[in-house]
Amino acid sequence: MPLKSSSSSASETQTIYAPPYLATTLGMFVLVFLVAFESMAVTTVMPMVSELLEGERYFALAFAAPIASGMLGMVAAGEITDRWGPKHLLHIAVAVFCIGLVICGSAMTMQMLIGGRILQGVGGGAITVALYVLIARAYPGHLHSKIFALFATAWVIPAMVGPWLAGLIAVHIGWRWVFSGVAILVIAAFAGIIPSLRSMSSERDPELGPISVKRLALAGLTGLAVISMNLLGNLHSSWSLAGLLLALVVALVAIRPLLPKGTFTIRKGLPATMMTRIFVTGAFFGVEVYLPYLLREDYQLTPDRAGLILTASALCWSIGSWLQGKLGEKVSNSRCITVGALAGSVAIGTALATAIFHPPVIVLVCGWAVGGFGMGMIFPRQNVNMLALSAKSEQGFNSSAMTVADSLGNAGATAIGGVIFAMAATGMGFISVFGFSMILILILIVISPRTKGIAPAVQD
């Protein structure tokens, strides 16, 4: 039975697990889960891999390379899906992602592994965008918050068990299976999505011109700027600060055509929604990367115990995602984004207070768990709002823009935070970084009501 389009009548089912959607829902969940697991697992095994392949000097590049290539994959996917839909692109994206995994799993040198990571980035970025468009065209609008809540869970579970499971695989089976094993499972998960893709049209939209080579070039330039920000953010010198600011300017100039017009002026509706993604990823992850460090330095906690704070946050993220999906259209997207931003301010405020006053560690655990809940409210509703405010011919471009904004906010704030931490006075590193993130989250609270917008007319 073919899936119903987003323009179907109000008599549609209220669950994403109904027979018309079940195979697609499960297939997408497992596919997103495996992409997330691979992302988490690489962090665990890469030190071992770089040592065995005698490529320690390429360690940072192994992580930065897929960031740059992912930008290209996202933008290319946006261009293609707007013109031909996600049908054929998703096949290609999964194939490229799996080829990259196989190359990594069979790599004999670090250079070969980085080549595989580049393909992973292209395929993974394209998969994300294609799935967003698939949701827009295969599920009715009132189910979007529920499917994005499921996606959030697909990312949270690997965050909790991925590193541990990857370590077991690397030790008892071999690190190569962390890559090759995922490739096999990805293909199996994709099989569940194929029936829904068959029912979709792949005819070219005659109203859109050729694929923009300029946008692809700008995506590549933005990716290189993001890599530079990450690398320079780890050098910790006055020259690195100057280089980082230059890379940030290049990224902001290059990325403007890749985002909806009015994003940087925070125009109401879709542009403001994009800007909230930049600020929320920058504020939250700009703090989270330093929390294990803070707990080790100020509380002398071992890595496994320090990691529990991230586990608590991940669990609450899942709860927040479930709740916003349960609420559905009873609570507006804008309201969910505002509530999530307020919860994020509590979390970052708690982290800042912890760095200053050193309360019992349980205070930080609870505060950061509130932040995880807020992220669970924000992330799915930003995606839902983006699709609701997108015309059919813009779904690919806007899905691409959302993922690009995600990468820019995360990488930019983390890199700037690294320089701020290094240049801060003795004992002020954590306070300075957390203060910077507090400014970002307060800006987010102010602009979140501007995410309200008028949905475009339904297109056949």
Side-chain angles (χ1 to χ4, degrees):
M1 180 185 297
L3 291 183
K4 301 171 185 176
S5 70
S6 58
S7 60
S8 297
S9 66
S11 63
E12 293 162 319
T13 178
Q14 297 294 318
T15 174
I16 57 177
Y17 303 107
Y21 308 112
L22 181 60
T24 305
T25 297
L26 296 180
M28 287 197 298
F29 172 80
V30 176
L31 187 58
V32 173
F33 173 89
L34 292 171
V35 171
F37 170 79
E38 192 278 333
S39 177
M40 307 293 177
V42 167
T43 304
T44 302
V45 303
M46 193 56 72
M48 173 193 296
V49 174
S50 61
E51 180 180 351
L52 292 174
L53 297 182
E54 299 180 351
E56 288 88 347
R57 64 185 182 277
Y58 298 113
F59 183 84
L61 186 58
F63 288 98
I67 295 176
S69 61
M71 292 275 192
L72 186 60
M74 295 169 192
V75 174
E79 291 281 307
I80 293 170
T81 52
D82 277 341
R83 288 161 176 78
W84 291 280
K87 183 174 184 178
H88 297 308
L89 174 70
L90 201 48
H91 286 81
I92 297 171
V94 169
V96 171
F97 184 71
C98 289
I99 290 172
L101 285 170
V102 171
I103 291 174
C104 289
S106 59
M108 303 306 295
T109 66
M110 199 64 175
Q111 292 91 330
M112 184 176 175
L113 185 134
I114 290 172
R117 294 282 287 159
I118 290 173
L119 289 179
Q120 277 184 258
V122 173
I127 286 173
T128 300
V129 173
L131 288 181
Y132 281 9
V133 178
L134 176 60
I135 290 171
R137 302 187 182 184
Y139 293 80
H142 66 275
L143 292 182
H144 288 176
S145 61
K146 292 177 172 58
I147 193 67
F148 279 119
L150 189 68
F151 274 24
T153 302
W155 274 94
V156 168
I157 295 175
M160 294 188 290
V161 304
W164 169 77
L165 184 58
L168 288 180
I169 294 173
V171 171
H172 297 289
I173 303 178
W175 66 265
R176 297 183 184 278
W177 282 100
V178 172
F179 297 98
S180 302
V182 170
I184 296 171
L185 296 175
V186 164
I187 294 172
F190 180 63
I193 304 175
I194 291 177
S196 65
L197 294 176
R198 286 176 179 167
S199 67
M200 290 187 171
S201 171
S202 59
E203 293 183 6
R204 193 185 193 287
D205 188 333
E207 297 182 1
L208 296 177
I211 289 177
S212 173
V213 176
K214 178 182 177 181
R215 283 181 179 170
L216 297 180
L218 289 173
L221 180 59
T222 303
L224 292 176
V226 167
I227 286 181
S228 299
M229 285 191 289
N230 278 269
L231 296 179
L232 290 167
N234 293 321
L235 294 181
H236 302 165
S237 69
S238 58
W239 284 106
S240 69
L241 177 59
L244 187 150
L245 292 175
L246 177 61
L248 179 60
V249 170
V250 171
L252 292 176
V253 172
I255 205 173
R256 283 193 67 180
L258 307 181
L259 301 173
K261 292 181 180 179
T263 296
F264 289 109
T265 56
I266 318 178
R267 187 184 303 165
K268 288 189 68 173
L270 184 63
T273 303
M274 296 293 171
M275 187 57 77
T276 61
R277 179 58 68 91
I278 293 174
F279 277 107
V280 73
T281 54
F284 188 83
F285 294 114
V287 171
E288 189 171 71
V289 295
Y290 284 96
L291 292 184
Y293 190 8
L294 172 68
L295 293 173
R296 185 186 69 184
E297 291 292 309
D298 291 0
Y299 292 87
Q300 288 74 53
L301 293 185
T302 57
D304 57 334
R305 293 186 177 182
L308 291 177
I309 187 173
L310 305 184
T311 300
S313 175
L315 287 172
C316 289
W317 188 319
S318 182
I319 293 171
S321 297
W322 170 83
L323 178 60
Q324 67 78 34
K326 190 73 173 178
L327 292 172
E329 296 178 335
K330 296 176 183 177
V331 179
S332 68
N333 298 329
S334 177
R335 181 64 60 84
C336 280
I337 293 171
T338 301
V339 170
L342 290 170
S345 69
V346 171
I348 296 173
T350 303
L352 181 58
T354 300
I356 298 173
F357 301 110
H358 309 291
V361 71
I362 188 65
V363 174
L364 180 59
V365 173
C366 293
W368 204 245
V370 171
F373 173 83
M375 293 294 280
M377 295 288 287
I378 286 180
F379 257 61
R381 285 307 181 99
Q382 286 174 323
N383 295 334
V384 172
N385 205 46
M386 176 270 294
L387 291 179
L389 300 178
S390 300
K392 184 176 181 181
S393 61
E394 298 174 340
Q395 289 168 346
F397 172 79
N398 291 335
S399 297
S400 168
M402 183 63 81
T403 55
V404 168
D406 199 335
S407 298
L408 179 66
N410 192 342
T414 302
I416 294 172
V419 175
I420 291 174
F421 186 87
M423 299 185 68
T426 303
M428 292 294 292
F430 294 117
I431 297 174
S432 300
V433 172
F434 297 167
F436 170 65
S437 288
M438 178 58 76
I439 293 172
L440 298 182
I441 201 71
L442 291 176
I443 295 174
L444 172 61
I445 293 172
V446 172
I447 68 175
S448 58
R450 297 187 62 80
T451 56
K452 293 181 181 178
I454 300 175
V458 176
Q459 301 174 359
D460 294 326

